[in-house]
Amino acid sequence: MAAPEQPELDGLEQGLFSHLIELRSRLLKATITVLAVLLALVPFANHLYSELAAPLVARLPQGAHLIATEVASPFVTPLKLAFYCALFICMPMVLYQLWAFVSPGLYKHEKRLARPLLVAALVLFYCGCAFAYFLVLPAAFRFLTAVTPQGVEMMTDITHYLDFVMLMFFAFGLCFEVPVAVVILAAIGLVDVEKLKGARRYAVVGAFAIAAFITPPDITSMIMLAIPMCALYELGIWAVRWLVPAKDPSTSSP
């Protein structure tokens, strides 16, 4: 009895092994791409950090500047930023490699939904980061420098500043994924257009609560995040109408 099952078992093992080899190849291509871009950015690491620090430096008092409290920070921190930038630039390539590995196992209707969601998630994340850098961070630093107590000189450590800005980028990038999250919830059947419309008031309250938790403690930054999140929620409702077909009630009736 064991003999007929052996070829089937061998075929299963070979299929799994081939998938693992393909996954390794995809990950290797993505890693090589990131490393190549990182090597190209290393000579410009200090300039990249200067650009990143510009929203804060422009609003520091006369004579104030960023400081390095650790011996290796002037070298390690810009290099870390160069790696973040390389990953940011290469994210389309990384996601493409993952998509190329996963897509053969998806049905046609799943591919139809996954492609625009993947592209939208990437674009919205980039938009969230740009929104944070060009609009929110200048407003937040203007507020923070204005409320600095008299007799206290604001001199931020370069590593702490990088960690803070990267956290803001990641948080705003995720918050801008509201339309993608709404479409996914609708695609798995948890909500529909009518439920989403009825939940508008809760979405607004949730947007302001999340904005108050994420942003620095000034009302301007909170409003600057909450309003786009509310607008993105409406965009998600429109995307559900376009991407997720409405269920026909007659098909579920006996």
Side-chain angles (χ1 to χ4, degrees):
M1 296 294 294
E5 295 180 359
Q6 190 64 34
E8 181 179 352
L9 184 60
D10 291 341
L12 181 62
E13 291 179 351
Q14 290 178 359
L16 178 61
F17 188 67
S18 64
H19 282 305
L20 292 176
I21 291 177
E22 183 184 1
L23 178 61
R24 184 187 66 175
S25 174
R26 298 289 182 185
L27 292 177
L28 186 61
K29 290 178 182 178
T31 303
I32 291 175
T33 304
V34 173
L35 291 177
V37 175
L38 173 61
L39 291 176
L41 292 178
V42 166
F44 309 99
N46 289 338
H47 177 71
L48 290 173
Y49 192 90
S50 298
E51 291 297 324
L52 185 72
L56 175 59
V57 173
R59 286 153 186 86
L60 288 176
Q62 186 69 26
H65 50 271
L66 298 179
I67 61 173
T69 58
E70 298 179 3
V71 176
S73 293
F75 171 75
V76 174
T77 302
L79 191 62
K80 187 190 298 186
L81 175 60
F83 170 74
Y84 290 148
C85 291
L87 192 61
F88 188 82
I89 293 171
C90 297
M91 191 53 63
M93 178 63 175
V94 174
L95 292 179
Y96 169 76
Q97 294 299 333
L98 293 177
W99 169 256
F101 176 74
V102 173
S103 60
L106 299 178
Y107 292 106
K108 186 176 180 180
H109 68 279
E110 292 175 334
K111 291 182 181 180
R112 175 183 172 272
L113 181 63
R115 285 195 193 101
L117 284 182
L118 194 62
V119 174
L122 186 63
V123 172
L124 288 171
F125 188 85
Y126 284 164
C127 290
C129 295
F131 185 83
Y133 178 78
F134 289 107
L135 295 177
V136 177
L137 289 181
F141 294 145
R142 188 181 300 112
F143 169 79
L144 293 175
T145 53
V147 299
T148 302
Q150 189 174 5
V152 176
E153 187 173 358
M154 186 174 181
M155 299 179 68
T156 306
D157 176 66
I158 60 173
T159 303
H160 292 163
Y161 176 78
L162 176 62
D163 294 340
F164 172 77
V165 173
M166 289 297 108
L167 180 61
M168 292 292 290
F169 283 175
F170 185 71
F172 272 75
L174 286 183
C175 288
F176 269 56
E177 301 292 340
V178 170
V180 177
V182 168
V183 172
I184 292 176
L185 291 176
I188 62 179
L190 291 181
V191 296
D192 55 24
V193 174
E194 295 304 319
K195 288 183 179 179
L196 291 171
K197 288 181 179 179
R200 276 194 179 108
R201 67 187 74 178
Y202 304 107
V204 172
V205 173
F208 276 89
I210 293 173
F213 179 76
I214 290 177
T215 58
D218 65 298
I219 191 170
T220 303
S221 300
M222 182 186 72
I223 294 175
M224 291 177 69
L225 175 59
I227 291 178
M229 287 182 67
C230 295
L232 289 169
Y233 182 81
E234 295 297 326
L235 179 62
I237 296 177
W238 176 84
V240 168
R241 290 174 176 166
W242 179 50
L243 292 174
V244 182
K247 293 183 180 180
D248 187 1
S250 62
T251 58
S252 58
S253 40

